[in-house]
Every structure is written in C-alpha cells, then in structure tokens.
Amino acid sequence: MDIRELRYFAAVYRERNLTAAARACFVSQPSISTAITHLEAELGTTLFIRHKKGVAPTASAEQFHALARRIIDEADAARSLFRKPNTKTTVTLGLMRTLDVPRTIALLKPLTTRTDIALRLVGHDERADARIISKSMLRADEHFVALWSERYVAALPPAHPLTLKEKLRTSDLAGVPLIDRCHCEQSEFFGRTSRRRQTAAIAQSEDWAMALVAAGVGIAIVPEGVARGNPDVVVRDIEVRVKREVGLAYRASEPLADALKDFVGKLQKQRRKPDPTGPRRNKRRKS
C-alpha cells in the first residue's frame, strides 16, 4: 500500500460515497475504486459494503481508519519538517455558519495542505477573497461555482412521538416546539402555516440546533448532511422537497489570488466530469 491509497481510503470513509470521495481528492471515481480494491486485497479483508446510496464501512474499516489516519498525519508532518519556509499568500475565506463538518473538512483540505497559503477563515458576511455560501446568499456582483446540493430534513429528539412516522407533513408540526434557524429555505416548508409555529429556541449554528434537538428542546428543519452526521437525533423526510445549493462565491470585479484560481479551476473541472454512478436512461425495447 502507498500513502495515496490511504488518503483515498480516508476520503471514502469520511464521505461514505465513492463519487464524493473522488471529488474531494480531485481524482476520477475509478481511481478511488481501484485504490480500495488494492487495499482490500493487500489487507485480506473487506473495507466497505456498497449499497444504493454509497458505501458503509465494515468493522475492519473502522479498525483500520485510526491507523491509516495516523500514518497520513505522520507523513504530512515529515514532509513539512525539512521544507524551507516560503513566503505565504494570505487567503481569506468566508464561511456561512450552517456548513456540516465533514464537507467543510474535505473542502478546506486542498487549501490547508499547501505550503504557499496562509488560510484565514471569517464569517460569510465579512470581507473575504471568496465565500462558501448557499446560493440564496449570492450577491449581484459575484460569480458562483456550485459544490453540492442537499435537501432539508427534520431532526427530532429520539423519544419524540413523530419519530413513528416515516415522513412528516407541515400539519404534523402545528403546535410542536421548533428550533428556529431563520433560513429562507426553512420557510418554504412551513409556507402559509408559519403563524402556527411554536418557536422554542433560535439557534445561531447547525451544531447548536442539533444540540438543542438532542436535548429534547424541539424539532429542527436542517440540511441533510448536518442531521445525518449526528447520532443523537432521529432523521425523518419532509413532504416538501426543499433543497439548497452550496458553492464558492467570489467577486467578478476583483482578480482572484493565484491559489484561489487553481482551487476554483479544480472545482469547475470536477463539476464537468460525468458521474459514473449516476442514473442511466433505460433504452426502449422494440415491440
């Protein structure tokens, strides 16, 4: 095995999806698949079980991940040990508060591993070279490079009666304590019934919203990536297909730093690649 295979393994373990891991590593999906196959053959065990929505790590993968992560970190530390300090370019990146942790880590890795960049993170509404935001926050003078699209779901306390339902309707939440996050996407779900909402708390971030849900304070309508990554809440679909598109925004009137040009170029290249796991059109059979 080599360090590249370990990095690909770590990406699949984190993303739970081969295509998403390939996008995070800026390689093709077959490269990821080949690396995992080589690792499984060398280790003599199955690391991931494939299913319709992605992959699930086996007990072997859980055990191997801690070791692989340590090897990757030590290799990076060794590589940096004897490097001569370079003049770094400061890149300021604005982040909206509602990003889920796994996607944020994968997104920032290509920038944090570069020795010529000093990365500085600020809020999405502060002065920055570029911003990671929902498309609904895009300003008139900005370009937008889409990164991912995700739907909204309901996050419930584990013992809540509504967990007995597979999908929630707007009417189900009438009079139910809610964790309000004041996002326009959320208002699409409630629509005209917003007056019937019972706000129990207002959360300033997704992590805080999840903590309040887990504590039993109320229910929250949140992006799926945030809810699925929290083991202390129960996730249920909602009847309205509310989605948000997250991407990189930067001002069209100001030149991008070279580091960000390279970053944006890689993102755009990944977006143009066809998804090999995507749905195929069924050919009509001749009668």
Side-chain angles (χ1 to χ4, degrees):
M1 69 184 71
D2 60 32
I3 192 69
R4 185 182 295 105
E5 290 178 343
L6 295 183
R7 292 187 192 279
Y8 293 171
F9 162 78
V12 176
Y13 183 90
R14 180 181 64 246
E15 299 289 344
R16 302 293 201 267
N17 183 281
L18 296 178
T19 303
R23 188 177 298 115
C25 295
F26 298 105
V27 297
S28 64
Q29 190 267 337
S31 297
I32 297 288
S33 298
T34 300
I36 297 302
T37 300
H38 286 171
L39 276 177
E40 289 180 330
E42 189 166 355
L43 295 172
T45 187
T46 300
L47 296 173
F48 297 101
I49 302 298
R50 288 161 174 78
H51 54 79
K52 290 182 179 179
K53 294 185 178 180
V55 298
T58 64
S60 296
E62 299 284 356
Q63 185 178 6
F64 182 60
H65 180 257
L67 178 60
R69 189 67 260 172
R70 186 163 65 248
I71 293 172
I72 293 169
D73 291 341
E74 289 179 351
D76 289 341
R79 188 177 292 107
S80 301
L81 185 61
F82 300 105
R83 282 180 177 169
K84 295 180 181 180
N86 297 323
T87 302
K88 293 189 175 183
T89 301
T90 299
V91 173
T92 303
L93 196 61
L95 300 181
M96 65 178 183
R97 293 180 178 180
T98 59
L99 292 172
D100 59 280
V101 174
R103 280 193 171 112
T104 303
I105 293 173
L107 185 65
L108 296 181
K109 275 288 186 180
L111 293 175
T112 59
T113 54
R114 290 187 53 163
T115 58
D116 59 335
I117 292 178
L119 185 62
R120 178 172 173 263
L121 301 179
V122 298
H124 75 276
D125 54 350
E126 298 181 55
R127 180 77 178 181
D129 299 307
R131 306 187 300 152
I132 305 298
I133 57 170
S134 171
K135 195 172 184 179
S136 61
M137 300 176 180
L138 190 66
R139 297 166 183 158
D141 64 339
E142 288 181 317
H143 286 312
F144 186 79
V145 180
L147 298 175
W148 68 80
S149 177
E150 59 185 333
R151 62 177 181 157
Y152 276 69
V153 295
L156 302 88
H160 199 284
L162 287 178
T163 59
L164 299 176
K165 292 192 171 187
E166 289 299 318
K167 180 179 288 189
L168 302 184
R169 296 179 296 178
T170 308
S171 58
D172 293 327
L173 300 183
V176 175
L178 298 171
I179 310 301
D180 204 339
R181 295 162 44 261
C182 300
H183 295 312
C184 60
E185 296 97 336
Q186 181 170 308
S187 65
E188 289 182 35
F189 172 63
F190 291 102
R192 296 181 179 179
T193 62
S194 58
R195 293 182 181 178
R196 300 165 60 192
R197 291 166 57 186
Q198 179 183 334
T199 301
I202 298 177
Q204 297 299 319
S205 69
E206 305 294 31
D207 288 342
W208 183 230
M210 290 298 91
L212 294 177
V213 172
V217 175
I219 293 174
I221 306 298
V222 295
E224 185 175 22
V226 174
R228 299 290 184 193
N230 193 306
D232 299 321
V233 304
V234 175
V235 179
R236 290 291 179 265
D237 290 338
I238 57 179
E239 64 172 351
V240 181
R241 301 291 291 180
V242 184
K243 290 187 177 183
R244 72 171 182 181
E245 190 171 21
V246 178
L248 181 79
Y250 58 95
R251 277 185 296 276
S253 59
E254 297 184 13
L256 277 175
D258 290 340
L260 279 178
K261 283 183 182 178
D262 180 57
F263 183 56
V264 170
K266 288 181 178 179
L267 292 177
Q268 291 174 327
K269 184 177 180 182
Q270 286 297 315
R271 292 290 297 181
R272 286 195 296 268
K273 286 184 178 180
D275 184 351
T277 64
R280 297 180 180 179
R281 296 181 179 176
N282 293 324
K283 295 182 179 179
R284 294 182 179 178
R285 295 180 179 178
K286 295 181 179 179
S287 56

